[in-house]
Amino acid sequence: MVFSFGLGYIVAMKALKKRILGSCCGAHILHDGYTDLLYVMFPIWQMAFGLSLAEVGSLKTLYSGAMASLQVPSSMLSEKVGEKRLLLFGTLIAAIGFLLSGWTTSFLGLAACLILSGIGASVQHPLSSSLTSHAFEGSELRGALSTYNFSGDIGKVLLPSLCAALLAVWDWHTVTSVMGLLGLLAVMFLAVVLPKTTVTNHSKTQLNKASSDTSGKGAGSNFLNLGFISLSSIAAIDSATRMGFLTLLPFLLMSKGATVTQVGFALSLTFAGGAAGKFVCGFIAARFGVIKTTLITEIATSILMALTLPLNVDVVMLMLPLVGVALNGTSSGLYGTVPELVPPHMRSRAFGVFYTVTIGSGAISPLVYGFVGDRLGVPNTIALIAGSVLMVLPLTLGLKKVFRRLQV
């Protein structure tokens, strides 16, 4: 139902806007699918190479770290070479990284392939976000961003599910190579569908409002204001929580007796819940405000994570869609708020910084929690993650102050 509504939203757009949003959604499906199919592969790679939890976490850190480190440079480079050209090139590099990973026979070779793929993936979020935010404005913008954000969760459901299904038939070398070939097909799709021209829809009123606020108390001419910093800090904690939990979830499930196929299905359930939560929470945030939405979803995340520890695997599987709703719902409201806190002409760089912070924290957390997991055990580490998410609560005060001043 949610998926049908998302498609209906795209169909309702004008032709050029529809092609831009559809292309950005397609890129998001592939890249987020690439990112999250790693969680299915981690137990496989652990057994294949005899890895510790810290080493497993390091693989995620290398991939996400490469992706995070180039968010801002890619958004700046796009101003010279063009957003479409750079998006195609990055997607090609990401696909080649996965294709080559199927041929590697060592941990270091696998790590190198994931770094290459992470470098390619670095362009997708800032460029697709920028393309979308330039094509829409006003009430349409948050809805378009929510649709784009939701599309990534489609990839999180489809690619890990496909990966888990293929692992029942083929070895992991073949499966990762197939994922790379899928990326090459996506590059050809984007080359045909993504328009050469973009849409610029920013009203003079919005630009004048942003430019006139030079006191540093609002959005102002500098996007590094109190609201943006508070928003990014909340997103960083949210991302670290999500990535840390998802990295350890397969190992928690396997300790309860789940098979690799069940783990893949469990992750798909989590991502499906996340897709619904992310899409719906974007519109809820537009109606009730990002602060209330954040408080509800983060408290729910903490409680639901804690509940996965004492329950048996069958009950945990049933509640994973709810975990996904809470776990991913916050990010949609945060992400859709970025354009409200920065001047229109600085959105591309603002999105680059925002994703650098969020993906960067998500890159570091698996390594950190992997070390903790090796020493304290998976259950205790997940309990620690569940508690850490509550650190976002005092940070909402900074957002509340800015929203009152800007009357957002």
Side-chain angles (χ1 to χ4, degrees), residues 65-83 86 119 122-124 126-127 348-357:
M67 181 165 56
S69 63
L70 296 176
Q71 296 285 307
V72 174
S74 64
S75 64
M76 297 175 67
L77 181 60
S78 69
E79 297 173 1
K80 296 183 179 180
V81 303
E83 292 169 325
L86 190 57
I119 291 172
S122 67
V123 306
Q124 190 276 138
L127 300 190
S348 180
R349 295 193 182 190
F351 274 119
V353 171
F354 182 79
Y355 276 116
T356 298
V357 172

Side-chain angles (χ1 to χ4, degrees), residues 7-28:
L7 288 180
Y9 189 88
I10 296 177
V11 170
M13 302 301 162
K14 293 181 180 179
L16 183 58
K17 291 183 178 182
K18 181 170 64 177
R19 288 178 62 189
I20 292 173
L21 182 58
S23 300
C24 292
C25 287
H28 204 185

Side-chain angles (χ1 to χ4, degrees), residues 386-404:
S388 68
V389 70
L390 298 178
M391 292 190 296
V392 306
L393 302 185
L395 291 172
T396 59
L397 297 176
L399 276 182
K400 187 175 183 180
K401 182 178 180 181
V402 172
F403 285 156
R404 281 179 175 175

Side-chain angles (χ1 to χ4, degrees), residues 13-307:
M13 302 301 162
K14 293 181 180 179
L16 183 58
K17 291 183 178 182
K18 181 170 64 177
R19 288 178 62 189
I20 292 173
L21 182 58
S23 300
C24 292
C25 287
H28 204 185
I29 288 172
L30 176 74
H31 284 271
D32 272 26
Y34 272 174
T35 299
D36 284 14
L37 69 81
L38 294 178
Y39 298 120
V40 178
M41 299 304 305
F42 285 154
I44 304 297
W45 288 332
Q46 183 195 39
M47 292 184 288
F49 299 112
L51 307 178
S52 66
L53 288 176
E55 288 171 324
V56 170
S58 72
L59 290 175
K60 177 64 176 173
T61 296
L62 290 172
Y63 179 88
S64 297
M67 181 165 56
S69 63
L70 296 176
Q71 296 285 307
V72 174
S74 64
S75 64
M76 297 175 67
L77 181 60
S78 69
E79 297 173 1
K80 296 183 179 180
V81 303
E83 292 169 325
K84 175 181 178 179
R85 186 179 301 174
L86 190 57
L87 180 60
L88 291 174
F89 180 72
T91 303
L92 176 63
I93 295 300
I96 290 174
F98 272 93
L99 184 64
L100 293 177
S101 69
W103 300 346
T104 186
T105 57
S106 68
F107 172 74
L108 292 179
L110 177 62
C113 291
L114 291 182
I115 291 173
L116 179 64
S117 189
I119 291 172
S122 67
V123 306
Q124 190 276 138
H125 281 114
L127 300 190
S128 294
S129 301
S130 178
L131 285 167
T132 301
S133 64
H134 287 157
F136 299 87
E137 68 174 351
S139 60
E140 282 189 343
L141 177 56
R142 185 178 283 276
L145 287 174
S146 294
T147 302
Y148 160 73
N149 208 8
F150 160 73
S151 69
D153 287 275
I154 297 176
K156 292 177 181 181
V157 174
L158 292 181
L159 267 66
S161 299
L162 177 61
C163 188
L166 293 178
L167 283 169
V169 181
W170 297 331
D171 60 51
W172 70 264
H173 296 279
T174 303
V175 172
T176 53
S177 294
V178 169
M179 294 299 106
L181 292 174
L182 185 63
L184 297 181
L185 292 176
V187 173
M188 292 186 283
F189 167 80
L190 292 174
V192 173
V193 177
L194 188 63
K196 294 182 179 180
T197 58
T198 59
V199 178
T200 302
N201 247 345
H202 308 311
S203 66
K204 292 181 179 180
T205 302
Q206 289 176 306
L207 184 58
N208 290 338
K209 179 180 178 181
S211 299
S212 62
D213 183 7
T214 57
S215 64
K217 298 179 180 180
S221 59
N222 180 4
F223 63 82
L224 295 177
N225 54 75
L226 175 62
F228 182 79
I229 292 173
S230 298
L231 188 77
S232 299
S233 299
I234 294 171
I237 295 173
D238 180 67
S239 178
T241 298
R242 183 167 58 255
M243 300 303 181
F245 176 74
L246 290 175
T247 299
L248 295 178
L249 178 60
F251 300 97
L252 176 68
L253 294 174
M254 294 181 76
S255 71
K256 294 176 181 286
T259 65
V260 173
T261 301
Q262 287 177 316
V263 167
F265 180 63
L267 288 170
S268 295
L269 289 175
T270 307
F271 298 142
K278 187 174 289 187
F279 187 78
V280 173
C281 286
F283 288 95
I284 292 176
R287 182 174 179 82
F288 298 105
V290 66
I291 295 177
K292 291 181 179 178
T293 305
T294 299
L295 292 174
I296 293 171
T297 55
E298 296 293 36
I299 291 173
T301 296
S302 181
I303 294 173
L304 291 170
M305 276 187 190
L307 288 176

